[in-house]
Amino acid sequence: MTKPRQSHNTKHSEHTDQTRSQHLSRLRQKALSAELPVHINTELLRGWSEDADPTLNSAHILPPLAHLTLIDPHFEQYPKHASSSSSLMAPYFWDIHNPDIILGRYSTHIGPTDIALNGLLDHELYTICAPHIKLTMLDEDTWHLTRLSPQAIVKINGKVITKLHTNHEVRDGDTLTLGVVDLRFEINPNLELHQWEQQQRDLLRTQQLPAIFLKRHGGICGPRFNLQPDKSCVLGRSFSGQNEPWASTPQPDWNLSGLTDYERRFIAFRHATLQPTNDNDWEVVPLSKRQEVTVNRIPIKTATILQDGDEIGLGNVLFHFHNPLASQPSTRHTIKLPSAVDWHSEHSSLITLPKKPTSNQDTDPS
Amino acid sequence: MTSTSSLQTGTRITLGEHTIELQRPLVNSHQAWTVRRLETNQVMWLWTPPKDDYASWVSTVTKALTADAPGQLPTLLTKKLSHSPPLLLLAPTAQNLCACDEILWQKLTPQQAIIALQNLTRTLLAMRKKDISMGGLKREHLHWDEDRETLVITSMPRARKWRTGEDEECWRDIKLIGDLIFESILKRVCPNGHELAAILQNPTRMKEVGLTQPGLIQILAGCVTPYGEIAYLTHEQLIEGLAHLEDELHHPMTFEVGARSTMGSSIFRKNNQDSFAHLQLAQQRGSRTNHTLFACVADGIGGISDGEKASGLVTKTSSEAFVRAWSTHPEQLIEHPSDVARAITKIASQRLAIEGEFAHEQNRGGTTFSAIIATEGRLGLAHIGDSRVYLIRNNSLIQLTEDHTLATILDNLGDLGKNDPKPKDVRDRTISRFLTTAMEVPFSRIDTISADALRTLNEPEDLALGQGITLLPDDLLVLSSDGLHEDLSLEKLLQITQQHNSPQHIADALCSAALQSQSKDNITVLVIRAH
């Protein structure tokens, strides 16, 4: 039996509500300082260059349907971001670029989320589930929230949501509480659903040949990689092999090291291969022993054929697979998460009717 | 007492709305006084011209007081030219004045004296740029400001227009500064000019007099006579000479390191998964030496050999990155030690992730990592995991790092955390952030000095975070893996650091104290003293 460790941090447990909130406010202030980009030449310290593509880190080229902003009374000085142009690197501000979006922490066991609430303080992140909620735009201007995990604390304007997989309407300006985090939900009044669909379609149509488009917060955001016919390509990020056993291992074809720090952390150095099969089709082959590959949110371990409009996930980064030359029309589009079972719920019983999702989640709006 | 015979202690004069009473003379000629304003009890200064030169002195001094020398020259409040003698009423630059005599110069440290004389020379230069000379600066024209530890000009009875074309005009000022430097370093009165010139030509006599300090000899030679090739002819040359002397007298901050790491005394521990590294690099530039220290502790997590590999790899990678930073951008390293330490940690994390992917079958571990960069007067820190860095200053102990454990998370959650069913042991031992072979840690999750420690130390908590905190001589730093601080109380830790002097003794004593309290873990401790 191990002797219990003495806590040197007894000051934390002694915190009154007031000193605790001051303490948390200082933590927030410090976290923000840590988030801001520091212009240190890491290439120089590393001794090798990542050759990162800076355009991977550029802002979404399309406007969002809605957005979420952290509400923190102790951090009033943080400037509110009215436009999405700077939101990519702005902590505590999350754009919503899809009418059907899953929010939560990324877990390698459960799979990617559209929006990972990065940048939160450790104790806040601890109360975020993977996944936590789904936000769905049912028709113009009507959004619904669905609680996805049995452990997830969810409130709308302070009202606790207990039922799983049930729609609850959220309105512009509502306060959503996820775990211990309060977020303000705001709808973009200048973008309607059909306009969003048109914009996504137009962006895909710029490309007449197979390509993969980077998605952020649910929507195609700009960066893409054109696939060469009859040539397989490796997705990953650059690495150093000098004087190492893997010195002869080739670098990836699409170097994703220019993604944001949070995105690239679950991207392997050689993550997956996209290779052409016969008949203008492509398949994805997982390469990494460490990082996950998903197709339409389902983890894959072996080569998997792709259809036009499929969603490829590398770690928590999602890509839209675009193949206008596909041999067969696309048949599978809907992304459904496996329903979590609430063992604690009084409503749980041995036999229960399957719950239908209330909306189609269409990753291909075309 | 000629022109100013009408002025004596107690004399009351009305100047516009001010009625002032003379208190005491600031200079032997009674041309400068401290005065008290009767209405408010406010202390001011009053200057009067020499008898023979009323008009031009007043205009010269008025112009001189506009020279760009903040804090060294008083501000002109009002003039009364109709009075006999004419009066200048001034806002004083200092309240707590001390005479600029031999006793003062023997009391000041050479560093204090050099900084004060550099500032004085800059003021003289600023007046020179306005074509004004002090006309032969004397000790009695100066006072020492006890509060700001600086020299202030309290009278300028001989101020006059610079005689064009005569560079030697500044020679008398320079000579006085040479004398004062001599006094502050050798702690006795400087010989007169002829005698000093003779001494400087005779190496044996120089040795007898004690003139061995490099930098000082050059200044004295430059100050002693206005003639010859080595004489200072301008204030700029004297400022440069003083800067060289300052570098020569500067004692660079150095770091003494003691370290100890042990597998520990548990029968279940068959290896030591802790790693540490420390390296101190010194660089000489001009007359100035800079020492920079990098030290880190890593506590490996994972299977039998994986944790050991992970901790060893990050200490090695981070040390290499530190050397690259030091050899390419030493100035930026000194200015932003915490930013650089965090960037180094990020690079170590990436290296670990590469290893995890390409040699995954034997690398499934992770490690905590706490690193410091100590430079001249600054301390930077990067931290992830539950190893710790303590600062011991003035017999008090401050934990600079926050433990990244479940216990900290639950503490911050308040009631929600208190109701969490996990037992204390699990809370304390679950590490919430660490470097891992499974992924690369985002930059923002690499911590630096904790918000609580910054507040305790009264250091800025804002965006200056990357610049680290002040490091003082005699500060003691302790880096430890949890095998040490888990079973050793803070009181005991502080007590041991006070019982021994050398960092190695402290490290050994801390380690054996932890072993005696039956620590089950690997124990690593790094002790650093700044000198």
Side-chain angles (χ1 to χ4, degrees), chain A residues 17-75:
Chain A
D17 282 354
Q18 201 197 344
T19 59
R20 199 174 67 87
S21 81
Q22 285 166 355
H23 170 74
L24 295 182
S25 143
R26 286 204 303 278
L27 287 184
R28 172 87 64 216
Q29 169 108 21
K30 208 179 119 205
L32 182 78
S33 312
E35 281 278 354
L36 290 173
V38 180
H39 299 289
I40 289 192
N41 187 343
T42 43
E43 312 269 285
L44 210 143
L45 298 189
R46 202 187 285 118
W48 55 276
S49 171
E50 280 190 328
D51 291 322
D53 174 4
T55 60
L56 282 173
N57 217 333
S58 50
H60 234 284
I61 57 170
L62 297 177
L65 288 162
H67 56 255
L68 293 164
T69 317
L70 183 85
I71 304 170
D72 182 353
H74 308 295
F75 209 80

Side-chain angles (χ1 to χ4, degrees), chain B residues 327-366:
Chain B
S327 58
T328 54
H329 292 90
E331 302 85 5
Q332 288 161 19
L333 176 69
I334 289 165
E335 283 162 22
H336 297 270
S338 279
D339 281 341
V340 175
R342 290 175 68 221
I344 285 172
T345 310
K346 172 80 174 164
I347 285 156
S349 171
Q350 186 181 32
R351 181 68 185 81
L352 205 56
I354 292 176
E355 191 84 10
E357 180 162 328
F358 292 113
H360 58 93
E361 60 292 332
Q362 62 229 8
N363 282 291
R364 302 202 63 92

